[in-house]
Amino acid sequence: MPTMTSVESPVRLDSVRKTYGSGESAVQALAGVSVNFPAGTFTAVMGPSGSGKSTLLHCAAGLDQPSAGRVTLVGTDLTGQSETQLTELRRQHVAFVFQAFNLMPALNVEQNVTLPTLLAGREPDRAWVDQVIARVGLTQRVKHRPGELSGGQQQRVAIARALAARPAVVFADEPTGALDTNTALEVLTLMRELVSAGQTIVMVTHDPVAASFADAVLFLVDGQIVTQMAAPGVEAVAATLAQLGARAKRGQR
Ligand SMILES: Nc1ncnc2c1ncn2[C@@H]1O[C@H](COP(=O)(O)OP(=O)(O)OP(=O)(O)O)[C@@H](O)[C@H]1O
Ligand SMILES: [Mg+2]
């Protein structure tokens, strides 16, 4: 049943490190990250390409195992959990929205939205599904397939799908990266409204405008959080990014 408000910080990372590969080819993607994502908050994660943003999301969501440190997801320490247990935890508690919408082309809007709930072994709550589809403004399109929708509409389906299983946290990796400016603003406004209604969202973005919709921004450089900003303004975010870009390690992209 709904876990959204039952835990103060649905996601916590303690000294998380992640190294890919070994020996000379080893890459340290996360170099000791500690952070809380409190319930009902919208956090943006920014930083140069290769700074570890996607790795941070993947570790936070139990999609990837840290090399060291601890991730706590809805009160459960993910350390030492089996793949099967992690899959189950993800299905019950987290949802993803990606730049590429990743909808099933053969399924209509309603079927796409209910799929994760079905995969989690639960019966979709009809009233809630209708509510989330209405929330993203697609009530008139429930029987349409993704190919019959615009990019913004498809991303709204992906957001409705993310919400349908009532996740404790929605992780979004550049959700507006493939959208034009107006459509992106529409999607960001929707995400902001969802957070006001209690949803927790963590969003990776390269766009200072997108980040300005968040409550706070974490800036990563070389796998570490180097600074954080509350109530981020577009200008301030852009200025900080420019500074950090100059500081970032060369030759990584
Ligand atoms: N599966 C992997 N195997 C090996 N190295 C990886 C893997 N995934 C990520 N890396 C490396 O880890 C570092 C961080 O990657 P990550 O994808 O987290 O960066 P990012 O901040 O999301 O970058 P971008 O903005 O380009 O998406 C990079 O140097 C990357 O090459
Ligand atoms: Mg990335």
Side-chain angles (χ1 to χ4, degrees):
M1 286 291 98
T3 47
M4 221 156 76
T5 53
S6 60
V7 174
E8 237 172 70
S9 261
V11 191
R12 205 175 72 228
L13 281 74
D14 293 303
S15 307
V16 169
R17 294 175 179 276
K18 178 67 187 180
T19 306
Y20 289 109
S22 58
E24 278 184 16
S25 62
V27 173
Q28 192 173 41
L30 294 178
V33 169
S34 297
V35 65
N36 272 322
F37 297 110
T41 63
F42 190 0
T43 308
V45 179
M46 304 191 88
S49 183
S51 58
K53 303 181 296 296
S54 295
T55 305
L56 172 60
L57 282 205
H58 295 163
C59 287
L63 269 176
D64 215 338
Q65 304 245 32
S67 310
R70 185 171 58 224
V71 176
T72 310
L73 184 61
V74 196
T76 304
D77 181 351
L78 299 189
T79 313
Q81 301 273 335
S82 70
E83 271 312 316
T84 315
Q85 288 169 318
L86 288 174
T87 303
E88 191 54 25
L89 279 165
R90 281 198 304 274
R91 281 183 179 161
Q92 300 301 337
H93 301 300
V94 307
F96 288 91
V97 177
F98 297 101
Q99 177 170 353
F101 320 124
N102 294 341
L103 302 173
M104 304 292 271
L107 302 184
N108 68 30
V109 167
E110 191 173 37
Q111 292 165 329
N112 266 289
V113 169
T114 51
L115 188 62
T117 312
L118 292 169
L119 288 174
R122 285 180 283 158
E123 199 55 41
D125 172 346
R126 298 305 326 171
W128 174 245
V129 169
D130 289 348
Q131 210 176 312
V132 296
I133 290 174
R135 194 76 210 72
V136 302
L138 289 172
T139 304
Q140 307 304 317
R141 305 289 183 137
V142 283
K143 300 301 177 195
H144 287 63
R145 292 187 181 167
E148 301 166 327
L149 301 172
S150 70
Q153 287 169 336
Q154 290 185 58
Q155 193 59 304
R156 285 191 271 140
V157 177
I159 291 171
R161 176 184 58 184
L163 298 171
R166 301 184 192 269
V169 201
V170 173
F171 291 103
D173 201 345
E174 300 190 45
T176 57
L179 304 176
D180 65 66
T181 309
N182 284 334
T183 312
L185 290 177
E186 210 180 276
V187 166
L188 289 162
T189 303
L190 170 64
M191 292 171 78
R192 184 67 250 172
E193 287 167 7
L194 295 169
V195 171
S196 302
Q199 183 64 54
T200 308
I201 301 182
V202 181
M203 169 183 73
V204 168
T205 182
H206 286 284
D207 177 8
V209 173
S212 73
F213 280 76
D215 298 304
V217 185
L218 305 180
F219 293 91
L220 280 184
V221 175
D222 293 343
Q224 284 185 306
I225 296 174
V226 290
T227 180
Q228 309 192 22
M229 190 184 288
V234 180
E235 301 287 309
V237 170
T240 302
L241 271 186
Q243 274 170 16
L244 297 181
R247 258 171 66 183
K249 205 154 68 187
R250 313 290 166 198
Q252 230 187 19
R253 62 192 77 176

